[in-house]
Amino acid sequence: TAVKNLAAAKDPAAIPTFIAVFGYNNPAAAAVAVAALTEFGDLAVPELLNQIDDYNYGARAYSIRTLAAIADPRALDVLISTAATDFAPSVRRAAAKGLGHLNWHKLDVSQRQLAINRALEALLFISQDADWSIRYAAVVGLQALAKVPEVQQTIVAKFSDMLHSDREKAVRARVRLAYTQ
Amino acid sequence: MIETGTEEYSADNGTQLTPEGAIANLQSSDLSLRYYAAWWLGKNRVSQPEAVDALIAALEDEADRTELGGYPLRRNAARALGKLGNCKAVPGLITCLECSDFYVREAAAESLALLGDKSAVPKLIQLLDGGVAQAVQVPGRPHLTQPYEAVLEALGAIGATEAISLIRPFLEHPLPRVQCAAARSLYQLTQDPVYGEFLVKMLADGDLKLRRVVLGDLGAIGYLGAADAIAQAQVENSFKLIALKGLLENQLPDELDNPSISPEAIRVMNLMDSLL
């Protein structure tokens, strides 16, 4: 409840405190903190990036989920490295989903295409992962990224490839769903 | 939701074994190499006939014994044979159901469930002899007299409808795990949603360990009525995703015949997306 009261105050000075809550191993409090930080939006991003916990993967998962929800493209580097190399599959899945949903329009035209291409490259890479759930998350990320006209064709081609080659029925079904949406 | 320490690590075991090397190691004078080779062949699904034959031979191993009289190599060989999908292993596994080592019997029952061969049914039914009254803990051991969960699940997986009346009393076994195994089996044998709902209720009431078991059961039977309960369960997302994948696969017809996706399948995928 202390966290809830803090959330009600909506004071940006509380941002570091909310992030610290991620490390308390208290799912209920962490859920409140995620919601509060997501509401702060872009304002919370620098601190979130600063305070990522390299040792507590539970805490890191909440940070990544929050960054993915806020969708600020400043999180691109963190989301890419997390999606590709984090040891916890749940964190990788959250990052993969987040990579597809970033607010690209917040970037300068000069940076935008490069950033989109890097997200695309990361998602294409993990769409070959050994873990089906990571591939599933990659499809979800790619489907969202396909809203960008410049990369749509590449993604459709990848989907067509996965439809034939992915060994999991569930992943193939998710690809087919992406096609129809 | 926080996920504490139980997730699979995507680590590579980094060994240099080859299928041929592992098959040769099953005959090694070093018992630990044999034990490891049996596990390795299963994990890597080395299904060539030489591997299957060598593992079947290992089911009768006498060399590798524990202080309590267990047969570690037989356990690993029995587990591996379930993964290799070759029904040639069925007679040897059925014999293992009579082994003095509980864990050999358990591994054999689990593998027979995977192989799905009807010829195992009579012997599996025999392990239920004495019903719930006999299904008590062995003094001084952490297990019951028989591997009841594995046996009940195997009978369901194999489709042994003749065992329904023998399985039903286990819904009232004192251990919730055993009750769940019975419900899972009965759902597979009857498709009666009452057993699916039994598991959904267990998902709400059980402790964390049981909730994980129940998710495995619901995924295995693909009970669609559990979709929302699974998505909302107080369990790590990884377990929930695997369970929902089971539901989803159960909703997918053969793709070549029917490339469209049903609304039910879409609903399950929307839930899965929300857990990423």
Side-chain angles (χ1 to χ4, degrees):
Chain A
T1 46
V3 183
K4 267 190 190 153
N5 294 337
L6 198 55
K10 297 184 192 285
D11 179 355
I15 288 174
T17 314
F18 284 123
I19 299 172
V21 170
F22 291 166
Y24 294 170
N25 201 10
N26 179 340
V32 176
V34 169
L37 288 164
T38 306
E39 197 152 317
F40 283 120
D42 296 355
L43 212 52
V45 170
E47 266 315 303
L48 277 164
L49 291 171
N50 247 332
Q51 279 190 49
I52 285 186
D53 191 325
D54 288 330
Y55 299 100
N56 179 339
Y57 90 93
R60 196 166 66 246
Y62 287 122
S63 291
I64 299 296
R65 270 173 217 282
T66 311
L67 285 167
I70 296 173
D72 186 302
R74 281 174 289 177
L76 180 66
D77 286 334
V78 168
L79 292 179
I80 286 177
S81 66
T82 303
T85 62
D86 203 279
F87 77 89
S90 66
V91 187
R92 295 184 64 196
R93 290 191 295 262
K97 187 181 178 187
L99 276 176
H101 289 90
L102 293 177
N103 292 322
W104 307 111
H105 64 83
K106 291 193 173 162
L107 292 172
D108 291 345
V109 183
S110 61
Q111 296 170 10
R112 195 179 302 159
Q113 198 53 47
L114 179 66
I116 291 169
N117 282 337
R118 290 186 55 217
L120 174 65
E121 191 189 358
L123 287 170
L124 291 176
F125 177 68
I126 63 167
S127 72
Q128 325 258 11
D129 200 87
D131 178 341
W132 73 268
S133 73
I134 302 291
R135 302 199 302 277
Y136 186 100
V139 174
V140 173
L142 284 169
Q143 180 185 353
L145 195 61
K147 294 195 186 93
V148 180
E150 289 86 353
V151 294
Q152 195 172 53
Q153 215 178 349
T154 310
I155 293 172
V156 170
K158 179 70 196 175
F159 281 168
S160 145
D161 176 40
M162 289 180 84
L163 218 42
H164 294 104
S165 65
D166 200 284
R167 57 192 179 279
E168 285 288 346
K169 217 174 170 181
V171 175
R172 296 196 300 270
R174 189 62 188 80
V175 172
R176 275 189 288 149
L177 179 60
Y179 261 126
T180 60
Q181 283 179 338
Chain B
M1 176 162 314
I2 199 139
E3 310 202 354
T4 31
T6 48
E7 272 189 282
E8 67 284 6
Y9 289 54
S10 40
D12 202 276
N13 63 51
T15 55
Q16 303 300 315
L17 264 185
T18 60
E20 292 68 32
I23 293 166
N25 280 357
L26 275 180
Q27 318 276 349
S28 167
S29 56
D30 181 341
L31 294 179
S32 67
L33 284 183
R34 289 196 210 179
Y35 181 77
Y36 183 76
W39 173 84
W40 191 91
L41 288 168
K43 178 181 181 277
N44 292 293
R45 294 190 157 65
V46 178
S47 53
Q48 59 204 67
E50 298 79 12
V52 174
D53 290 340
L55 286 166
I56 291 173
L59 292 177
E60 299 180 0
D61 171 77
E62 288 290 348
D64 193 6
R65 303 294 301 268
T66 67
E67 284 173 32
L68 292 168
Y71 293 93
L73 177 59
R74 293 191 192 186
R75 297 173 192 166
N76 271 3
R79 286 184 198 116
L81 284 164
K83 294 184 179 135
L84 301 190
N86 189 328
C87 282
K88 199 179 169 190
V90 168
L93 289 169
I94 292 174
T95 306
C96 282
L97 292 175
E98 294 181 316
C99 182
S100 58
D101 179 347
F102 172 91
Y103 297 104
V104 173
R105 300 198 299 280
E106 182 178 57
E110 286 169 1
S111 288
L112 287 165
L114 292 171
L115 296 177
D117 193 299
K118 283 259 183 204
S119 65
V121 170
K123 193 60 91 185
L124 284 165
I125 285 178
Q126 257 182 43
L127 296 193
L128 300 182
D129 272 357
V132 175
Q134 284 283 322
V136 295
Q137 187 155 348
V138 176
R141 296 291 186 94
H143 56 70
L144 304 176
T145 46
Q146 294 294 352
Y148 290 97
E149 291 154 78
V151 172
L152 295 168
E153 289 174 18
L155 289 167
I158 296 174
T161 44
E162 62 268 47
I164 289 174
S165 61
L166 296 168
I167 296 170
R168 202 172 277 127
F170 284 88
L171 286 173
E172 307 198 357
H173 188 279
L175 286 181
R177 290 182 284 119
V178 178
Q179 295 174 22
C180 289
R184 164 180 172 162
S185 179
L186 288 166
Y187 182 83
Q188 288 178 311
L189 297 174
T190 64
Q191 297 293 307
D192 185 337
V194 75
Y195 301 115
E197 291 304 321
F198 184 99
L199 290 168
V200 170
K201 190 166 179 328
M202 286 292 205
L203 188 59
D205 298 344
D207 63 15
L208 178 60
K209 214 170 153 190
L210 185 72
R211 293 200 296 271
R212 289 180 186 147
V213 171
V214 175
L215 284 184
D217 291 334
L218 288 168
I221 65 176
Y223 177 59
L224 187 64
D228 292 309
I230 292 171
Q232 285 153 26
Q234 299 292 312
V235 188
E236 299 88 335
N237 282 353
S238 292
F239 288 85
K240 298 201 269 191
L241 275 176
I242 293 171
L244 287 172
K245 175 171 176 264
L247 266 55
L248 173 60
E249 285 170 347
N250 203 35
Q251 292 301 317
L252 298 173
D254 194 8
E255 287 149 296
L256 296 174
D257 295 346
N258 188 354
S260 70
I261 317 175
S262 68
E264 291 77 23
I266 292 174
R267 190 163 74 86
V268 175
M269 284 189 269
N270 288 337
L271 290 171
M272 291 172 75
D273 289 5
S274 73
L275 295 171
L276 298 175

